[in-house]
Amino acid sequence: MSNSNNNNDTPGKCTVVVSSPTLWTNNKVEVRGHRLGTGTEDHDVITAQNDEGSPLLTGYRPSSRASDYMRPGSSQVSLRERPVRSTSSARRRRQQQQPAHTHVARFSLRWWQRRIRYYVPIIGWLPKCSAGSLATDIKAGFMVACLLIPQALSYSSLTHLPPAYGLYTALVPALVYGMLGTSRHLSMGPEALVSVLTGTLVKGQLKHLYAAYSPNTPPDDAVDDFSAAVASAVALASGLCTFALGMFRFGFLDSMISESSLRGFISGAAIVVLIGQTRIVLGLPASNSVHSSPWNDLCHMLSHLDQVHVATAAISLGSLAFLRLLRFVKRQFRSALWLQGIPDTLVVIILTTLISWAVQLGKDYNVAVFGSVDGDLPRFSIPRVPAYVDSKDIVSSAITITMIGVVESVIVAREYASRNHYAVSSNRELVALGVSNIVGSAFGSYPAFGSLSRSKLNDRAKATSQLSGIVAATLVLVSLLGLLPYLYHLPLGVLAAIIVDAVVSLLSATPHAITFLFKVRAWSDLFLLLFICACSVVSSVETGILLAVVISLIMVIKRSNMPRIKLLGRSTENGYEFCPIDGVVPSSGASRRQSFSSDESEFDRSHDEAEDGSEEYDTQVQHVEGVLIVRIDESLYFANAGQLHARLNRLELYGDMRVHPSEDPRMKPTRAVVFDLIGMPDIDGSALEILLNIVREYSRRQVRVAFVRVCDSVRGRFEKSGMARAGGEYDFNDITAALNHLERELTISVSP
């Protein structure tokens, strides 16, 4: 390497090879340097460029000359070993070289184009589809459709609707979501739990129709029309609820239900579905009761086991065994791609339909078959609440369905977005789900949300965009027009077996959850899981989801209602250091030390939440006699400030939150209270009023109150609220200064 100019005051130039393997391996760069005087020392400014003249590195470091970076006789220079620091002038030069971001005027044409691309994602991703991704998405859509169509036909029986309505639900909402959704892998359409909840509502409202026709029985057409109207009305209500949640940015609500509550409800709902479909698999007669609990259905099924229909049970259980066997073989031979691509549910439907047609199961063996079904396209009709139905029942069921559908859909969307390294917006997902159900309700669909099983298949098929869902919906349309007549001989028990196979997969995670909770001794979570599951089975699915939501909300409110406060004491080793009395103080040789010195602006909260007192202290901490030193570790607002007074009283009496209230008071009378607010960045109006009342009460008791390390925003609110007039002083920078002030004002000794 040679230097073309060795003058310290003129630029030097040479060509080097960057040897760093992580930066620009084997790239030839130019390094130009010149002297830059700063008044105190000279600096060398260097600029590295590649062969194309693009800047790679700009910076400076103290040196005598630019040639220090270009050692003669060396063929390689490691820029990694000689780091440079960027100067403000160098940064300005880089910014001048970079194109400036132009500001888009509000409501201009370009502004509208960006907003439309954002809120209607298909406008953004469709023009970018290549031939390779298009072929992949078509293949993925075909694979998803092979599962979607059988599930749509099967799940319609859960809703007490004709099979065509299951296909309507798989058609219209999926098309709308493909245009508005942000997830590339979420498969929109009928879902097992949502179908169960919809069927429970429909079954409960049918009793009003039967009562209106009493003592006669309503005709089948009237029952189907009534059920379809109820399902469309609840789809519209659910869509409006979901849309409102997205518009008002409530996308965080999917995390409001605890995992134990959700697992308990899913397990209970799966058992309820299992009870209902097992009766169909075995060919047992249905209960005469229009509205009965799952427990009563189970008792009815067990009491009629002697009436099992042998032919129905044989074809249904054989289909179920074939499905499980095929899944087992796929797991054993994962490398066989042709085997993994076999659509197992579609194969079962085709084989059992051919067997039923060849053997004439419906005619000769009295097996219930699919029969003739109207396969017309859905017609547009604005949903209306039918007669004899209370609108409150529709709304309450819609809220329940929305909770379950939103939680499952958003969780699935986030999971596969994380696996495939792209982002989804919870709020935009809610808007897309809501609009899909609103539009779908006008075309005869019942509530539709994302399916875990189909989304998993979509991911396995390597889908690259939402086009796979649109392709699957298009194939549903084709099947709606031409497939249904060929399913005349399909045994209904086979559709029930497909549902049983799906709900068994829902139950597969429950044993692991119970084992895990038992292992970590999370008894409250374990009890919650089992309790909600039992209530869902014994009472109803609505009871289970209601308990899951209510108990989860109560747990959230309870934990956010308790303010995070710590009682501090003085260290016996360092009188200017204050530590939590019920916390863990590591030894002085630890890598991270939890100390709260009076002049510190930062503190470490890594061990603040110790719950037991089994740790041994390396530093002894003692109370400051007559003074209560309390550190608040979070912002105060209306929810958690309400318990602040009660917790302060308990600390004042016992000096430790772990002491049971039945014990005798241990603390001497309090003369002063010091609040350390370094961990409280904000306070709202309600909490400020509560804090003012606490300070006034202390003042009436002749107890002095001081606030230390108050941030600017809280200080401003203190000034405007008249905290000083109430008796609170807040002009102290550390705890020691406040204690010294109190020592002068009161006849107490707080010196270390």
Side-chain angles (χ1 to χ4, degrees), residues 228-242:
V230 172
S232 297
V234 75
L236 175 61
S238 177
L240 291 173
C241 291
T242 310

Side-chain angles (χ1 to χ4, degrees), residues 508-525:
S508 61
T510 303
H512 172 73
I514 294 176
T515 304
F516 175 78
L517 294 176
F518 185 84
K519 180 180 179 181
V520 300
R521 299 185 178 182
W523 307 122
S524 59
D525 290 334

Side-chain angles (χ1 to χ4, degrees), residues 192-193 262-275 278 324 452 499-514 529 533 536-537:
L193 294 180
L262 186 61
R263 177 53 53 190
F265 167 73
I266 292 176
S267 302
I271 294 174
V272 170
V273 174
L274 200 60
I275 293 172
T278 301
R324 306 307 295 180
L452 175 59
I499 298 176
V500 169
D501 179 68
V503 298
V504 167
S505 63
L506 292 177
L507 287 171
S508 61
T510 303
H512 172 73
I514 294 176
L529 188 156
C533 178
S536 300
V537 175

Side-chain angles (χ1 to χ4, degrees), residues 97-386:
Q97 294 174 359
Q98 296 176 355
H101 295 285
T102 58
H103 176 71
V104 180
R106 195 178 182 88
F107 302 119
S108 64
L109 178 60
R110 190 173 179 183
W111 185 89
W112 280 110
Q113 289 175 344
R114 288 184 177 182
R115 293 302 184 273
I116 292 174
R117 268 199 313 269
Y118 181 81
Y119 291 108
V120 187
I122 190 174
I123 299 177
W125 60 259
L126 187 58
K128 299 178 182 178
C129 287
S130 62
S133 63
L134 182 63
T136 303
D137 286 335
I138 291 176
K139 175 187 175 183
F142 177 79
M143 294 180 64
V144 171
C146 291
L147 179 61
L148 174 60
I149 294 172
Q151 283 187 346
L153 296 173
S154 303
Y155 292 163
S156 61
S157 64
L158 297 176
T159 60
H160 305 283
L161 294 173
Y165 288 90
L167 295 177
Y168 297 161
T169 306
L171 172 61
V172 180
L175 288 174
V176 177
Y177 181 83
M179 295 183 287
L180 301 179
T182 60
S183 174
R184 305 171 191 170
H185 298 89
L186 185 68
S187 177
M188 186 72 171
E191 199 274 329
L193 294 180
V194 174
S195 299
V196 172
L197 294 172
T198 304
T200 304
L201 172 67
V202 171
K203 185 178 180 181
Q205 298 303 318
L206 279 175
K207 62 183 180 182
H208 301 301
L209 181 66
Y210 280 88
Y213 277 86
S214 181
N216 300 320
T217 302
D220 293 340
D221 292 341
V223 173
D224 291 342
D225 293 341
F226 179 86
S227 302
V230 172
S232 297
V234 75
L236 175 61
S238 177
L240 291 173
C241 291
T242 310
F243 179 78
L245 290 176
M247 290 299 295
F248 290 103
R249 300 183 179 275
F250 280 91
F252 62 89
L253 287 180
D254 64 286
S255 58
M256 294 298 291
I257 301 181
S258 69
E259 182 67 24
S260 300
S261 300
L262 186 61
R263 177 53 53 190
F265 167 73
I266 292 176
S267 302
I271 294 174
V272 170
V273 174
L274 200 60
I275 293 172
Q277 297 305 306
T278 301
R279 180 191 62 81
I280 301 176
V281 167
L282 298 179
L284 296 174
S287 174
N288 295 327
S289 176
V290 177
H291 186 69
S292 60
S293 66
W295 180 256
N296 293 333
D297 292 340
L298 177 62
C299 295
H300 173 80
M301 182 180 66
L302 294 177
S303 62
H304 291 77
L305 286 178
D306 56 337
Q307 302 180 21
V308 171
H309 194 274
V310 178
T312 301
I315 191 68
S316 303
L317 294 177
S319 302
L320 181 60
F322 180 81
L323 282 172
R324 306 307 295 180
L325 178 61
L326 188 56
R327 302 273 173 80
F328 175 78
V329 173
K330 284 185 176 182
R331 287 195 298 269
Q332 297 298 317
F333 300 95
R334 296 182 185 274
S335 59
L337 298 181
W338 65 271
L339 182 61
Q340 302 298 325
I342 295 178
D344 39 17
T345 53
L346 186 62
V347 169
V348 166
I349 286 181
I350 294 175
L351 289 179
T352 54
T353 302
L354 292 175
I355 293 174
S356 177
W357 169 74
V359 185
Q360 292 294 308
L361 290 178
K363 182 178 180 181
D364 296 341
Y365 295 91
N366 199 26
V367 174
V369 294
F370 194 76
S372 300
V373 177
D374 184 12
D376 294 337
L377 292 176
R379 299 178 181 178
F380 177 81
S381 178
I382 298 177
R384 292 182 176 85
V385 178

Side-chain angles (χ1 to χ4, degrees), residues 597-611:
S597 300
S598 59
D599 57 348
E600 284 182 321
S601 61
E602 298 286 337
F603 61 93
D604 183 4
R605 295 189 227 168
S606 60
H607 300 288
D608 280 0
E609 300 302 321
E611 296 293 339

Side-chain angles (χ1 to χ4, degrees), residues 409-585:
S409 300
V410 174
I411 288 177
V412 172
R414 285 179 177 175
E415 177 182 353
Y416 287 103
S418 176
R419 288 186 182 183
N420 294 276
H421 311 292
Y422 65 91
V424 295
S425 169
S426 297
N427 294 317
R428 290 166 65 195
E429 281 294 294
L430 293 179
V431 171
L433 293 172
V435 174
S436 300
N437 279 294
I438 292 172
V439 177
S441 66
F443 291 93
S445 72
Y446 60 86
F449 288 94
S451 168
L452 175 59
S453 59
R454 296 195 302 270
S455 301
K456 186 186 299 183
L457 180 62
N458 204 17
D459 176 64
R460 193 183 305 161
K462 308 297 182 183
T464 61
S465 70
Q466 294 87 325
L467 183 61
S468 61
I470 297 177
V471 171
T474 304
L475 294 176
V476 172
L477 176 62
V478 173
S479 67
L480 187 63
L481 294 176
L483 177 65
L484 294 182
Y486 297 99
L487 298 178
Y488 181 91
H489 295 281
L490 174 64
L492 295 180
V494 174
L495 294 179
I498 294 174
I499 298 176
V500 169
D501 179 68
V503 298
V504 167
S505 63
L506 292 177
L507 287 171
S508 61
T510 303
H512 172 73
I514 294 176
T515 304
F516 175 78
L517 294 176
F518 185 84
K519 180 180 179 181
V520 300
R521 299 185 178 182
W523 307 122
S524 59
D525 290 334
L526 180 59
F527 172 78
L528 190 61
L529 188 156
L530 298 176
F531 176 70
I532 293 177
C533 178
C535 290
S536 300
V537 175
V538 175
S539 179
S540 64
V541 176
E542 295 96 330
T543 303
I545 185 58
L546 180 63
L547 287 173
V549 172
V550 170
I551 294 176
S552 297
L553 291 179
I554 290 175
M555 293 171 62
V556 171
I557 294 172
K558 177 184 177 183
R559 295 185 180 182
S560 63
N561 185 255
M562 304 300 291
R564 291 179 56 198
I565 63 176
K566 287 288 183 181
L567 180 65
L568 304 184
R570 191 194 302 274
S571 170
T572 57
E573 296 182 359
N574 184 357
Y576 297 96
E577 185 175 346
F578 298 88
C579 305
I581 292 178
D582 58 344
V584 181
V585 183

